[in-house]
């Protein structure tokens, strides 16, 4: 019954913000002969499109605030939806300052908050200009951020909050998350949820794939982009038997 396969990108088909693995390009080529393919991303559509070297598929960006359709005639991505939300910056900064003071994150490099044109917000615990090595060492298993994840959610009820990257919390205006975005795509393109399969790696508590994995949509978890092709092929073969 599967007609549409939707993917997360970073950690699922490639490393963070790097080009697609050749093995996973071959996987997409193979799947595209039998299924419609879709990318569901946290970043902007054009960033994802460029990262994928203009691979021919539709892209949901910014948790559904953006949607781009691949144009086979031009080889480009046509942006057909680009929602923008206003941000109450003083209110956001006041709450983040409270969190910094309470949890001892008062020393940081660069800015305390990162604002995105879409209306999404990032709380970079180490600051916007922190060294990459420091960010990677801060919370590799995400336990530090998950220890006060519920508190961040309560302080920002107007946002969907995610344990993002290596040392941040990412926030998108409600109701936008990957499940909402994928459901909207299904309604607009005539797919029922039981015709959809989602593949992602960030399915743990606070992960940006979690909403899909907790939903009625079938999901395939992957923990290593280098084995995604094998895991997905095995799953598809199993459900066909």
């Amino acid at each position: 019954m599967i007609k549409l396969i939707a993917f997360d990108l970073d950690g699922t088909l490639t490393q963070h913000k790097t080009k697609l693995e050749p093995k996973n390009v071959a996987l997409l080529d193979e799947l595209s002969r039998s299924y419609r393919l879709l990318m569901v991303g946290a970043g902007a559509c054009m960033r994802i499109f460029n990262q994928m070297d203009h691979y021919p598929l539709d892209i949901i960006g910014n948790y559904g605030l953006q949607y781009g359709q691949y144009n086979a005639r031009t080889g480009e991505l046509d942006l057909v939806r680009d929602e923008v939300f206003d941000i109450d910056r003083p209110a956001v900064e006041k709450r983040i300052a409270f969190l910094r003071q309470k949890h001892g994150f008062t020393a940081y490099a660069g800015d305390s908050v990162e604002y995105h044109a879409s209306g999404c917000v990032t709380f970079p615990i180490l600051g916007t200009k922190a060294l990459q090595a420091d960010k990677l060492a801060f919370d590799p298993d995400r336990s530090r951020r998950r220890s006060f994840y519920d508190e961040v959610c309560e302080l920002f009820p107007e946002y969907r909050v995610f344990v993002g990257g290596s040392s941040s919390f990412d926030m998108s205006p409600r109701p936008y998350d990957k499940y909402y975005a994928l459901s909207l795509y299904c309604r607009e393109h005539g797919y029922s949820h039981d015709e959809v399969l989602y593949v992602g790696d960030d399915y743990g508590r606070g992960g940006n794939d979690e909403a899909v994995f907790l939903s009625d949509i079938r999901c395939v978890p992957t923990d290593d982009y280098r084995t995604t092709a094998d895991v997905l092929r095995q799953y598809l073969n199993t459900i066909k038997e």
Side-chain angles (χ1 to χ4, degrees):
M1 295 177 64
I2 293 173
K3 297 180 180 179
L4 171 69
I5 301 181
F7 290 89
D8 167 61
L9 180 57
D10 290 346
T12 300
L13 294 174
T14 184
Q15 296 188 66
H16 183 64
K17 293 186 179 180
T18 61
K19 300 297 184 180
L20 284 172
E21 286 289 301
K23 181 177 180 179
N24 289 331
V25 173
L27 172 69
L28 296 179
D29 289 344
E30 174 188 336
L31 293 174
S32 67
R33 293 191 283 269
S34 302
Y35 307 97
R36 184 162 185 171
L37 304 182
L38 174 69
M39 184 58 57
V40 186
C45 284
M46 287 309 302
R47 183 190 71 75
I48 295 170
F49 189 56
N50 290 330
Q51 183 181 345
M52 297 181 67
D53 284 331
H54 294 195
Y55 193 88
L57 81 176
D58 293 349
I59 299 174
I60 292 172
N62 293 339
Y63 299 103
L65 292 167
Q66 283 189 340
Y67 169 56
Q69 285 184 327
Y70 180 76
N71 187 324
R73 181 180 61 83
T74 64
E76 297 296 330
L77 192 74
D78 296 335
L79 200 60
V80 297
R81 181 167 58 245
D82 190 9
E83 300 286 341
V84 175
F85 281 71
D86 292 330
I87 303 173
D88 186 345
R89 295 193 178 199
V92 168
E93 289 166 11
K94 181 178 179 180
R95 285 174 280 181
I96 286 182
F98 170 80
L99 288 168
R100 287 191 179 281
Q101 189 67 39
K102 180 176 180 180
H103 295 281
F105 302 129
T106 53
Y108 55 89
D111 296 327
S112 179
V113 188
E114 182 178 359
Y115 297 105
H116 303 277
S118 61
C120 293
V121 175
T122 297
F123 170 21
I125 295 174
L126 301 182
T128 57
K129 294 186 178 180
L131 297 175
Q132 183 68 10
D134 291 338
K135 291 192 291 185
L136 291 173
F138 175 75
D139 188 22
D141 64 356
R142 303 192 176 192
S143 60
R144 294 183 70 179
R145 284 169 291 166
R146 283 176 177 151
S147 68
F148 62 104
Y149 170 72
D150 289 341
E151 182 181 2
V152 180
C153 292
E154 290 173 6
L155 278 174
F156 290 91
E158 73 272 39
Y159 290 96
R160 291 282 289 115
V161 179
F162 311 102
V163 180
S166 55
S167 58
S168 302
F169 289 101
D170 296 330
M171 308 180 197
S172 62
R174 285 187 179 274
Y176 288 92
D177 61 23
K178 289 189 177 182
Y179 176 67
Y180 178 84
L182 187 51
S183 296
L184 179 60
Y185 183 92
C186 288
R187 289 197 301 272
E188 292 177 342
H189 293 83
Y191 293 100
S192 61
H193 285 192
D194 61 4
E195 294 174 325
V196 181
L197 182 67
Y198 183 80
V199 187
D201 74 305
D202 198 8
Y203 53 85
R205 179 159 175 72
N208 65 36
D209 296 321
E210 181 189 24
V212 187
F213 275 79
L214 294 177
S215 75
D216 58 331
I217 293 174
R218 284 179 288 184
C219 297
V220 175
T222 180
D223 296 312
D224 187 333
Y225 67 92
R226 293 167 296 186
T227 62
T228 295
D230 298 329
V231 170
L232 183 53
R233 286 192 183 100
Q234 182 179 1
Y235 179 86
L236 291 171
N237 288 335
T238 300
I239 63 175
K240 287 176 181 176
E241 292 176 354

